[in-house]
């Protein structure tokens, strides 16, 4: 489940959104609640949740995940915990 408000006392991963991902979601961050007893998931599973969840408009957006300021490959099994900083970064262009 994704929520735009703060979930105090619950296991949740805070996900910061940038550029077109922020515009599509209508917020600058999301919180992904984890099931009771779970405090982490793989970056691959997190990405799948972000793309497959019908409540999020990220399905058509190309993006990379950054965990603790490091871009993570799409197929990564890096573990993401509630303490990590996660960012959704779509392609950014400018001129």
């Amino acid at each position: 489940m994704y929520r735009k408000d703060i979930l105090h006392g619950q296991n949740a991963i805070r996900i910061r959104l940038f550029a077109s991902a922020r515009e599509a979601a209508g917020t600058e961050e999301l919180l992904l609640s984890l099931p009771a007893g779970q405090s982490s998931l793989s970056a691959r599973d997190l990405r799948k949740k972000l793309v497959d969840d019908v409540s999020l408009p990220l399905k058509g957006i190309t993006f990379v995940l950054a965990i603790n300021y490091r871009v993570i490959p799409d197929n990564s099994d890096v573990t993401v915990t509630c303490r990590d900083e996660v960012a959704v970064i779509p392609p950014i262009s400018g001129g």
Side-chain angles (χ1 to χ4, degrees):
M1 174 170 123
Y2 297 91
R3 298 203 27 200
K4 295 179 184 179
D5 56 327
I6 304 296
L7 298 175
H8 295 288
Q10 293 186 17
N11 286 339
I13 295 175
R14 181 172 297 179
I15 304 161
R16 297 186 65 201
L17 305 174
F18 293 92
S20 58
R22 179 188 311 178
E23 292 171 14
T27 185
E28 60 187 42
E29 73 177 30
L30 300 168
L31 292 175
L32 170 63
S33 296
L34 298 175
Q38 183 179 352
S39 61
S40 66
L41 73 161
S42 72
R44 178 183 298 155
D45 290 342
L46 175 58
R47 182 178 206 27
K48 183 171 174 31
K49 286 180 181 292
L50 289 171
V51 171
D52 292 346
D53 191 308
V54 295
S55 68
L56 289 176
L58 299 180
K59 191 169 193 109
I61 295 175
T62 301
F63 64 89
V64 296
L65 280 179
I67 301 171
N68 299 324
Y69 305 101
R70 294 180 59 206
V71 174
I72 304 299
D74 291 351
N75 61 351
S76 177
D77 284 327
V78 169
T79 299
V80 181
T81 71
C82 299
R83 296 177 306 273
D84 291 324
E85 181 159 334
V86 178
V88 171
I89 306 171
I92 300 172
S93 63

